[in-house]
Each structure stands twice: as structure tokens, then as C-alpha cells.
Amino acid sequence: MTYGLANGPTMIAAVDQDLICAIATPPGQGGIGVVRISGIGAKKVAETLCAKPLKPRKAVYCEFTHQNERLDDGIALWFPQPHSFTGEEVVELQGHGGPVVQQRLLTALCAAGARIARPGEFSERAFHNGKLDLAQAEGIADLIASTSVAAARAALNTLKGTFSARVNEIKDNLVSLRVQLEAAIDFPDEDIEILEQAGVVEKLRSLAEQLQQTLATADQGRLLNNGIQVALIGSPNVGKSSLLNALVGEDAAIVTDIPGTTRDLLKIDLLINGLPIRLVDTAGIRSGVDKVEQQGVARARAQMTEVDLVLLVVAAPDLQRSQMENLVAEVQNQALAQNLEPPKILIVANKVDLVDQSVHIPAHANVAVSALTGQGLDDLRAAIQKQVGFGQDNAEFTARTRHIEALKIAAVQIFRAQQGIEKGLATELVAEELTHAQHHLGSITGELTADELLGKIFSEFCIGK
Amino acid sequence: MRYPEQFDVLVIGGGHAGTEAAAAAARMGARTLLLTQNIETIGQMSCNPAIGGIGKSHLVAEIDALDGVMARATDQAGIHFRVLNSSKGPAVRAVRAQADRALYKNAVRKILEHQENLSIFQQSVVDLIVEGGRVIGCKTQMELDFYASSVVLTTGTFLGGKIHIGHEQQPGGRAGDAPSNALAKRLRALPFRVGRLKTGTPPRIDGRSVDFSKLEQQPGDEPRPVMSSMGKRQDHPSQTACHITYTNELTHEIIRDNLSRSAMYSGAIEGVGPRYCPSIEDKVVRFAEKTQHQIFIEPEGLTTTELYPNGISTSLPFDVQMAFVRSMSGFEQAHISRPGYAIEYDYFDPRDLTYSLQTKALDGLFFAGPINGTTGYEEAGAQGLLAGINAARKVQDQAFWEPRRDEAYIGVLVDDLINLGTTEPYRMFTSRAEFRLRLRQDNADQRLTPIGSKLGVISSARQRFYEQKMRELAALKKDFAGNCIMPGSDLDQRLSLGLRKETTLLDALRRPEVTVETVSEALGIETSNEQAITVLRQLEIETKYAGYIKRQDDEIAKIRRHETMQIPEQIDYLSIDGLSNELRQKLDQQRPASLARAARIPGMTPAALSVLLIHAKKAASL
């Protein structure tokens, strides 16, 4: 990824005073989670979430709301410049924590005009404003260097799979549009088709739609708005519903020992180690006789691809490798058939109370539990937390939030370009919007330098007198 | 022998870079000597006889805003003017002129010969005189040595120039002119990285052998634009038309059949040619699906019948040139008056230069033009102007002028060159300028004339002309801001505004449908009143683009904050742990003066920049 050399806004670096926000408390579950905002306008932006005027250095209790939705409640603290951690205007929102709630706060702050801070940026600002001494400076530089490597790796992780495929497709379409426009601008003598004929209007419209769809279906949105979806999948009577009940702690699902009892999908929202999880129980997968049950099985299959995590439940006493591999393959094929990213899979061996563990440690399973005795349930909770991406740090999550923010800005620019071309705005202004859109997408996909753009023009059009 | 007079600035080369450099240094009061192999070829157009075009006329306008030569000479010599991109917006709008070669050369020479502080001397330069890491003069062929405080080298395509026609090769800096081989050899011994580039020209054709009835005619534009902001249509000589023809399947077949005889395809040429100016061989091979290529036929002048068929530059042997030229419509009987050829030449890696165009290796030595890997008269002229200004600044012991990317295309050009280098002859395109919307031809004077004025490179006539325009613009703006249009009023109706509440004329001008044309009609400004229309157009652009400019201003403000963050010279990049090895090496080699410049090094990341800033602060406080 290169910065700064491409067209469009240059790289943002230190000594800026634009508004930044980040989670200030250590990652993981804590009693209190602090989101910190620093820069010019911090108070104003915070007040849009708090809906209350803030007072200097006074704790103000409020509900944090965004678009009429309550995100959390807690205390807001305003530190006017320069008496703050960074030396800039700072607001701290102290809520009840939980990574998802905090990410939603960040998203709301970004919508109100802040951007997510780079690793170490708060400390860096503190240093530049004389809040930290020189002795600490090198430590901060090291911190920035190491955390940015971690952040880069996390960003890379989020770029695998369908999200990345979609973003790259959007980028390719945007580049092809820019090639068309810039070629028409820089080489008007060449017989490059005029914009209307080249379908620029149509291409812009479909690009805008593509962006909207990606934004709407981005995993981030799904995670943040509906919680993390976890499905219990398995053969009949392996104890899926018992497991669900054990996790929930009450009899939410009907549990009997007759195979095929759960004919429909049962959805329950619960907190697992502070993460909001939507647990979906499904009918056991088998070739049922009953029509109603068949429908249930079909829904179970469909569900496999819509969730973030599949708990593949098997019964420990009759755990067979082949059976398990078949189930894993089925989940994956189901996803591939629909051109979706396969969900993560956790193999849960239930009913360990029925086996002699010294002999029968279910080696193929990720977790061994007993829904009946409660044995291994904490391991399962921890495994779920780890699988859905909130293990030790939330760098990956933050990276993704950053990507979504970049996509949103790009979408606005594309929309303006589209409006511009419809209103008959000068080509150079439409091109300007697209350049900005490209720059924002570039923070995900890497920049396109002016020379690379020219290279594409020269390979596509026979330029030259 | 030592020439008795000591000069402030020596300029070596009388092409487009050399003439601008010499004239600029002299305008600034430096005692300047221009050394050329041949006084007759001062201001010679080696390639096609046209000045301007997209991105290029922007450079010409900037040269003009600093009172340079090129725009003025073009108005004296232009025989065909067109406005390009007129419908695509004011920032990418450009002027292109066909020039009469002889008139152009005369105009340039006349300007130079009337320039105070400037002398010209005809002699080949064979070596530089270096003393303690500093260039203090040069040696010429006749063993006459010249001494000066600054030396500007503008050798064009002459360093180690080699001309290829088919498999034939001969030394040459341009057809008919000897290359500068002695100097090239000496310069190769100095600590500069050298590369080879190539470019080509088409065969020239005698117009008397062309059947014009078969060609498309392309007349110049009316109303005819001017190149210089102070230019007048009355200055233009009489006008003539250009023509268009096309290659065809037969042309392509002839070329394909003889590819092995092309210098480029037989591997005889090591230099890299430009992607945007491919030879006809390249076009036929790379775009095999195209059944025809457009050929733009440019007149060489008013008093010659020679034509320049732009679009068929080639290094094929002469018999193939004849065959393919005659396969084209209108050229069936064409007589080639000069064969086309490819030329290879030395250039020095521009990454060895600083923003002032002074070399990093030798104090007092400046490079401008194709020697830096660029192509084009306009690119050469712009660099020449900058090098000339800075050569004079050096003599005056003043800080260099280093235009930024947001100020001028000259800034984009230099910044690209010295940071990225180039692997093909570098040409300007508007898409290279991220602040394109503000780097317009129409506001080149507002961007640069005040700076030129401070540098002392502007004549008093231009100063007065500029101030007058600014006064008129300010007055018009005030007038428009104070002119309240009432709903239903006469003006409301004449401008078809359909107002609901009172609005100033200035606010009305923001609307897309309110244009110079509708306003001048409504206010009764005669379209023949060019000065008034120019000022009105300026106000229109400023008003309509205010939002876009504001957005860019915010970006620029950030860059400038970074510019104020200086990096101490003694900083040890190699010991900074938080940076990748590659970045440490690059930083150590380029030693950027400020954070803004470090930001432009390829591969730089925001995190690396932060780390660098912290270390810079630390180093500064030690």
C-alpha cells in the first residue's frame, strides 16, 4: 500500500488536530468501557450523542443515543483544551463497555464527524502538545510502530473473503470509470468515446448501487445491529437444544429425547462473556419423513450460511470422524453453492458425561461439553468469544469499522459524481468526486497512483500523435 | 584562455529550457551568458511545430505568469489556435497553437537579444570546471573557459545522442546537428546516475505532393484564443488550417511485414520510449485490432510547404517509410522531405536533484529539460524558468524558490521528477495534478505573478497589467455582491432566476444555469469587450468552484503544517527502529527537509510518518 503519492487528499499524519476517537480501556470485558474523543469539536460531537450540555471536568450522566437508538448509558466527561491527556479538547464517554457497544459508539461518533484514531495517535498528540516528556517519546514511537504492524495484519485479516471480493470489484469498476473520464480529459484528440456513449452514467449508477449493497450487507453491519449469529447444527438427538438451554440457563427450547423435536428455528438473544449473541437452534439434519420436519431441516440448512459461527454439535459417545467431516463439508458446500463466505465452525462434542474421558477424549472436537452436568460450558463460551473475533484484542474489529467508514465516504462521493453527471456538471468536477472516492477506497485496497492510472489509460486506448 | 568577464549565471543550451533559464536569470538582474553550439538554432522546435495542449498550455501559462518567453513567442508565431476541452471545465481547458518554426525561432531570439543583462556566445561546451564540490564554470571546444557562480545545463537530447533509421545509426542530437559527446563523456564521470531514453519523429512531407482534397480540413477556432495573458490577436501572423488523414489496413500490413527492420524491434535501441507517444510500429503491434489510426497533419510554417504528419513517428528504414506513407489517403504521391528517425540520448536520474533543480552532487549546478528525463517544449521551458530563477537566487544569496504541487504545474513536475524519477520521457498530464481544480490556466497569473514579483522576475509592464486585472476583478465582485435582485424584477426575469426572495447577483452566479453568457447579455456587456468578459469569467469560476477549492484548501493546510515540521539534517535515519529497512534507506538517501516531503516518499505510511516526526522532534531538541 502506498500513501500520499496518488491523486486525491494527501496522507493524514501527526500534528493534525482533526477529531479522532478510540476505545481507551483495555480490550476484553471490563466493568467500564471508555471511549475517548480528542480534537477540535470533541465536545460538540459528544453532545450530539449525549443530548445534554457538558460542563468542564464535570461528570454528566446521560444516555448515549444515535439516530434515536439507545446505545448505552454512562458518564460523559469534558476536558477543555489544554488540560487533558492529549492537550487538545477531549471528551470521555464512560459506558458499560463490551466491545460491541463500544464499536457502536465509535460508529456513531464517526457519523458525527470524527475518525477512528490510528494506533498510538492519542499518545502521539499528547507528546506533541508537551504532555509527555522526551524520555517517553521513543517508547511512543515504538508503540506506534508495533501496533501499526498489528493493525495492518488485522486489516489484512478482514480483507479475506467475500467482503474483500466485493470491495475489490467496486474498486475495479471505479478505476475503469476513472480511466474513461481521465482519458477523455487528457486526450481529447484521440477518438475516445464521449462519456454518454461509453455508458458512464449507467456505470456510475450501478457502482452506487453496488456500494450501497455492500454497505448494507457488510458483516460489520450485521454484527453490530443484530448481534453475532451462532447456529446450533447437528444430527437429531445430539443434544443441541439441551446445549442451548444450558447456555441460556432456562428452558427456552423444548427438549425431549424424540429425534426431530425442534422442527422450526428457535432464536434466543443472550450475552456470552459480554458479547451479544443470537443463538439459533435448528432441526436435526436428517432425511425426515414428516413434511413439517422437512421444512425445519431446509431452514436449518439455509441457516448454516447466514450465521457467523456454526456450533456443530455431535454426541461424544458415538463420535465418528467421517460423520463429522460430512457435516463440515455440508456446511461449507452450502455456503459455496450460494457464493458466500463459509461461516466459522466449532465442533462441540456433547454428552461427555456419558463417556470415559480417559479413553475417549474426542480428539476431533474443538470443545467437549456436557449440557447435562454443565461440564465444559465455560470452555465453550470462551471458544465462542474467540471464534467471533474478540479474543485478546479488537484490532480486527476496529480495522473493519475503519473500512466501513471509508466505504461510506466513498459512497457519498460516488453519489455526488452521479448527481453531477445527471445535472450536466463539468467533466472535471465529476472526475474530482471520483478521485476522492478512489482515495477513500484506497485506504482499504491500496492507492492508485497517477502513474498507474495513466498506465491503464495507455494500455486501454491507443494514445499518441 | 579565460574569458575576461566573470558571469553570475551560465546557461548551456539554447533550446526551450535554456532560453527560459537565461531570460529569467537576466530579468532578475543576474549577468547571464547563454552558450549554444549554434546561435541559428536558438528556440528551435525539434519535434512537432505545436505549443500547448492539455496540461502543457497550463505550464505555458505559468511561464507566462512569471513573464517568461514561450507564451509571448507563441503569440508572435502561432498560425493556428484551438481551445481544447472547452466543455469539460475551466481547469482542464487548454490552448494549443501551431507555430511557424521560423517565426517562433525569430521571436525567441528577438526576446533574448533585447533582454538586458543577457549575452549569447556560440561555442560547444566540452567540460564543467569543478572546484571543491562546486561548479564554477565551463570549458568550450576552442579552449575558452567561462566562469560564473551558477551553471544551468540544458543539453536536451544532445548528450550522447544517437539517431536510428532502420538498422542505420549515426551520432546526432537532432537531425542535422551534432551531439554533445565530449560533454556527455565528462558528465558520465561525475557522480550522477545516467540512463537512456528514446523518442521519435515522423517523416516530413512536402505539401506540394499531397492531395489535400482527400484530407479532412481542421481550421483554427473562432474566436481565436491567445496564449499569453497579455497577448493580442493582432500579434498573430496570418492563420492556416491543419489536416487529418488515417492509416489503413494496407499501411498496417506494410509495417507488420517490415517489423524486423525497425530499429526498435530489432533490439538496437536500449532507451525507453514514452507510452503516450508510441511509434507507428508500436501502435500497429499493440493495438492490432484497430483498423486505422488518425494522423494529424501540421503545417511547418507559412513560408514552407513542408508538413509534419503527427502520429507516424518511426524508426523503420527509408524505403518502408516511403511505402507506408504512400499507402495513406492523400499521400499517394507524397514526397518525403526528411526521413523519420528515433533518437536515443542520455538523461540523468532526476532523483539526484533538489526541489530547486540544483544537483545534489555539485553545488551551483542546475539541470533543466530532457536532461532530467522529460519531454516536450513546455516541460523544458518550465524547468528552465525555475532553474534560471534559482541560479540567480543562488548568486543573490537568497533562498530558492521551490513551488509546491498545490501552487503550480511546475511544482507537480519537479516534485514528481525528484521524488519518483522516471522510466520514460516524462510528460505533463492534468491527471498528475491532484489539485487540478485550482491549477487552472485562467488563474496562473493570480497564482504566480505575485510570487514572481517578489522574486523580481516580472517586468513592470506585466506587473501593471496584473494589478489592473485584479482591481477590475475586485470591483466586479463588490459590484455583484452589492447588487440585490428582487423577485420579479427586471434582472430576475432576464436571468430567468424565478426568485422567491432577494438574492445578490454574486449568489445568483453560483447557479449552474447562470453563466458568463447569460449575465453579460442581461447586463448588456458587449462580448467584444474582451477584458470585461475575461474578468467576468474569472469571477464566475471563482464563485462556482468555491466549494471545491475550499475542500482542497483544507488538504493543503494539512500539507503546509507538515511543511513547517522541519527534519533536522543531522538525524540518523538508519537508527530509527520503528521504520522498515526499505524506508530507512530511502529516507537516508533523500534526506527530506520537512515532514511534508517525507510524506511524498513512495512507501511512506501514516504510522511511519508519526514515528519519523517523534524522532525529528527528539533530534531537534538534542
Side-chain angles (χ1 to χ4, degrees), chain A residues 138 182 189 428 464-465, chain B residues 96 283 310 436 545 618:
Chain A
E138 219 154 327
E182 295 295 336
D189 284 344
E428 65 185 27
K465 289 282 153 52
Chain B
R96 188 175 59 207
K283 289 188 199 177
N310 201 344
R436 176 164 73 189
Y545 275 45
K618 205 173 161 220

Side-chain angles (χ1 to χ4, degrees), chain A residues 75-99:
Chain A
I75 286 165
L77 264 167
W78 168 39
F79 303 93
Q81 193 180 18
H83 304 292
S84 70
F85 171 64
T86 57
E88 300 174 334
E89 182 174 311
V90 165
V91 176
E92 286 184 4
L93 302 178
Q94 309 185 346
H96 292 94

Side-chain angles (χ1 to χ4, degrees), chain B residues 143-402:
Chain B
E143 295 185 358
L144 182 64
D145 299 344
F146 292 89
Y147 286 82
S149 307
S150 314
V151 174
V152 183
L153 201 56
T154 68
T155 48
T157 60
F158 278 62
L159 283 183
K162 194 194 271 180
I163 288 173
H164 297 256
I165 302 175
H167 293 169
E168 306 287 317
Q169 293 162 22
Q170 61 184 72
R174 171 170 61 209
D177 290 306
S180 307
N181 282 342
L183 186 59
K185 204 174 155 211
R186 285 296 303 143
L187 288 171
R188 274 184 178 252
L190 292 171
F192 300 118
R193 289 177 279 182
V194 192
R196 293 286 274 177
L197 290 174
K198 84 136 238 245
T199 184
T201 66
R204 316 280 172 86
I205 292 170
D206 187 337
R208 289 174 302 171
S209 63
V210 172
D211 182 356
F212 284 96
S213 69
K214 290 186 175 171
L215 305 181
E216 275 174 43
Q217 195 189 56
Q218 189 180 59
D221 281 343
E222 287 301 337
R224 194 186 332 136
V226 289
M227 195 59 94
S228 167
S229 65
M230 293 171 77
K232 292 188 182 61
R233 235 165 270 161
Q234 302 87 281
D235 299 341
H236 295 173
S238 60
Q239 301 292 298
T240 183
C242 292
H243 292 85
I244 291 168
T245 188
Y246 297 90
T247 62
N248 53 48
E249 300 279 21
L250 178 60
T251 320
H252 299 179
E253 201 182 307
I254 295 168
I255 291 165
R256 267 194 298 268
D257 287 348
N258 289 284
L259 273 181
S260 61
R261 298 176 64 201
S262 154
M264 248 112 46
Y265 279 83
S266 63
I269 294 184
E270 52 175 306
V272 182
R275 290 169 295 179
Y276 46 83
C277 193
S279 64
I280 189 68
E281 296 95 291
D282 261 344
K283 289 188 199 177
V284 169
V285 171
R286 284 180 44 217
F287 294 90
E289 73 286 358
K290 287 200 82 171
T291 54
Q292 63 172 39
H293 294 280
Q294 195 189 62
I295 307 303
F296 191 63
I297 304 164
E298 307 178 27
E300 288 268 320
L302 294 173
T303 50
T304 171
T305 56
E306 216 175 7
L307 299 171
Y308 189 101
N310 201 344
I312 50 169
S313 90
T314 182
S315 64
L316 283 161
F318 184 69
D319 61 305
V320 185
Q321 293 188 18
M322 261 181 76
F324 85 69
V325 163
R326 289 188 172 182
S327 70
M328 286 186 262
S329 177
F331 285 173
E332 291 85 352
Q333 308 294 322
H335 169 71
I336 294 180
S337 51
R338 305 179 207 209
Y341 60 89
I343 178 162
E344 261 192 302
Y345 54 95
D346 285 358
Y347 80 105
F348 293 108
D349 191 331
R351 287 174 296 184
D352 293 337
L353 298 172
T354 68
Y355 279 87
S356 62
L357 293 182
Q358 183 177 234
T359 65
K360 285 179 183 168
L362 290 176
D363 202 42
L365 180 63
F366 297 79
F367 285 172
I371 190 174
N372 291 335
T374 64
T375 173
Y377 312 138
E378 303 81 356
E379 288 81 354
Q383 290 170 72
L385 178 81
L386 182 63
I389 287 173
N390 284 328
R393 297 284 285 176
K394 178 135 192 127
V395 174
Q396 297 164 349
D397 209 14
Q398 300 272 2
F400 289 137
W401 180 49
E402 299 173 346

Side-chain angles (χ1 to χ4, degrees), chain A residues 88 105 148 157 169 172 212 272 311 318 356 369 383 388 431 440 459:
Chain A
E88 300 174 334
L105 276 174
S148 67
N157 283 338
E169 200 182 315
D172 290 346
Q212 287 308 334
I272 292 182
L311 298 183
D318 44 38
D356 176 359
V369 298
V388 287
H440 288 289
S459 62

Side-chain angles (χ1 to χ4, degrees), chain B residues 481-557:
Chain B
N483 189 340
C484 282
I485 312 170
M486 294 298 177
S489 68
D490 194 30
L491 203 50
D492 182 13
Q493 284 168 12
R494 270 188 283 163
L495 287 169
S496 349
L497 296 172
L499 291 180
R500 295 221 188 98
K501 56 178 182 146
E502 66 171 90
T503 302
T504 68
L505 187 49
L506 195 63
D507 282 334
L509 196 57
R510 287 183 210 284
R511 298 187 179 189
E513 70 274 16
V514 181
T515 62
V516 167
E517 287 68 32
T518 60
V519 170
S520 56
E521 199 187 322
L523 296 181
I525 301 171
E526 291 291 328
T527 46
S528 58
N529 185 347
E530 286 182 31
Q531 183 63 13
I533 295 289
T534 303
V535 172
L536 179 56
R537 198 172 294 283
Q538 194 59 50
L539 186 63
E540 186 205 6
I541 297 169
E542 276 181 16
T543 312
K544 287 201 169 75
Y545 275 45
Y548 296 92
I549 301 299
K550 170 74 178 60
R551 183 160 72 177
Q552 295 195 341
D553 281 345
D554 295 344
E555 281 306 317
I556 293 163

